[in-house]
Amino acid sequence: VECATVALAEAGWWVNMGHTTRDAVETCRRRCNHQPDPQKPQWIQRPKLAISVRNPYTYYQSDYAYTRMAAKDESIKASSWEWLRMSPQREKFGVGTAKSPLASFENWVHFVVFNRTTYTLTARLTRVCGIPCKYDYALRTESLENDLNHALQHARVPVGPLHLPRFNEGRTNRTHGCANAAGGCSGPAMWTCELLTIVTAAEWSIFSMFGYARKLCGPDSPHRAGGVFTIDDDDIR
């Protein structure tokens, strides 16, 4: 989104705030809020807030894959890896051992939900705009190009349709060197019913707020206890 909206930012129509905070967002709202002017249309006098959000299941997959990439390539920066690398609790979390959060997707989910809770999707959204979040437009990763263009059109920003490239680590991370998921695979994001239950509970408000479908294990579900499975974008639309 930041790359696609560079021209809009330079023209003064758009402000990219990145990984920001609720206080910074509210400050920006106040500074950008114009005094009522009967000579100007109402839509141009109040700033609009657009937030980005992702299906929690593929968010965990992508975050896991990206953090692993950062651990192997110094040119890639990931706050989660920087925290793990520099944390005085490195030994507690077994960084560099089989107990490391990066050693398996199972370890990563347990680490995020039960230890480093600031990395949950709910926590990230709360930092930006609180719960419930008051926003004008939600830009979903799964339909980012359509959502962004809809927001621009609805806000009457004078720009033609924008085209965004599509790349999803949530899909590609499954190919990172693992042939046998059930036999101790350390690469791809392989789900179990336990992990599904943990993430569904931890991100309950995200599912409710943005209408994402929760996946449950049970007799009538394709997901069975004791089995492993993957989740792709095709599974969550």
Side-chain angles (χ1 to χ4, degrees):
V1 173
E2 290 187 21
C3 292
T5 55
V6 168
L8 296 178
E10 292 175 347
W13 287 98
W14 189 276
V15 176
N16 282 309
M17 301 191 69
H19 297 275
T20 188
T21 64
R22 184 178 182 181
D23 287 345
V25 170
E26 291 306 315
T27 297
C28 186
R29 280 185 190 270
R30 290 193 299 269
R31 294 179 63 181
C32 295
N33 203 24
H34 300 288
Q35 293 296 321
D37 185 343
Q39 301 302 317
K40 295 181 179 179
Q42 183 65 32
W43 62 268
I44 205 173
Q45 297 185 47
R46 185 180 69 84
K48 305 292 194 298
L49 176 63
I51 62 170
S52 59
V53 68
R54 186 171 194 170
N55 183 288
Y57 302 125
T58 52
Y59 162 78
Y60 277 76
Q61 293 180 174
S62 182
D63 201 32
Y64 170 63
Y66 191 72
T67 305
R68 283 174 55 86
M69 290 164 59
K72 297 178 181 179
D73 186 343
E74 293 183 356
S75 67
I76 299 175
K77 303 300 180 183
S79 60
S80 48
W81 168 239
E82 291 301 312
W83 188 90
L84 277 172
R85 184 174 67 86
M86 302 299 293
S87 173
Q89 302 184 67
R90 281 173 56 87
E91 292 187 7
K92 172 186 175 181
F93 293 120
V95 175
T97 73
K99 296 181 180 180
S100 168
L102 300 182
S104 70
F105 184 58
E106 178 182 11
N107 287 7
W108 179 253
V109 170
H110 279 262
F111 167 70
V112 171
V113 175
F114 299 119
N115 292 289
R116 191 61 176 167
T117 55
T118 54
Y119 290 144
T120 65
L121 196 56
T122 299
R124 290 178 183 267
L125 186 64
T126 301
R127 280 198 303 275
V128 172
C129 59
I131 294 290
C133 178
K134 296 181 181 180
Y135 61 90
D136 296 286
Y137 307 109
L139 310 181
R140 294 169 173 79
T141 298
E142 301 77 28
S143 54
L144 188 56
E145 183 176 297
N146 288 339
D147 289 350
L148 177 57
N149 283 313
H150 169 75
L152 295 174
Q153 183 180 26
H154 186 268
R156 305 185 190 182
V157 177
V159 63
L162 300 180
H163 301 286
L164 280 64
R166 185 177 181 83
F167 179 75
N168 179 11
E169 296 97 335
R171 176 186 298 273
T172 60
N173 83 80
R174 293 193 294 109
T175 65
H176 289 176
C178 178
N180 184 5
C185 171
S186 63
M190 303 301 297
W191 290 85
T192 64
C193 281
E194 179 209 10
L195 297 182
L196 203 65
T197 300
I198 290 173
V199 170
T200 302
E203 308 292 1
W204 193 266
S205 61
I206 300 295
F207 288 105
S208 300
M209 195 180 310
F210 299 100
Y212 286 118
R214 300 179 180 92
K215 287 183 173 295
L216 304 174
C217 289
D220 299 324
S221 167
H223 311 313
R224 297 287 188 272
V228 294
F229 47 90
T230 61
I231 297 177
D232 279 346
D233 278 353
D234 292 340
D235 300 321
I236 61 178
R237 285 174 180 165

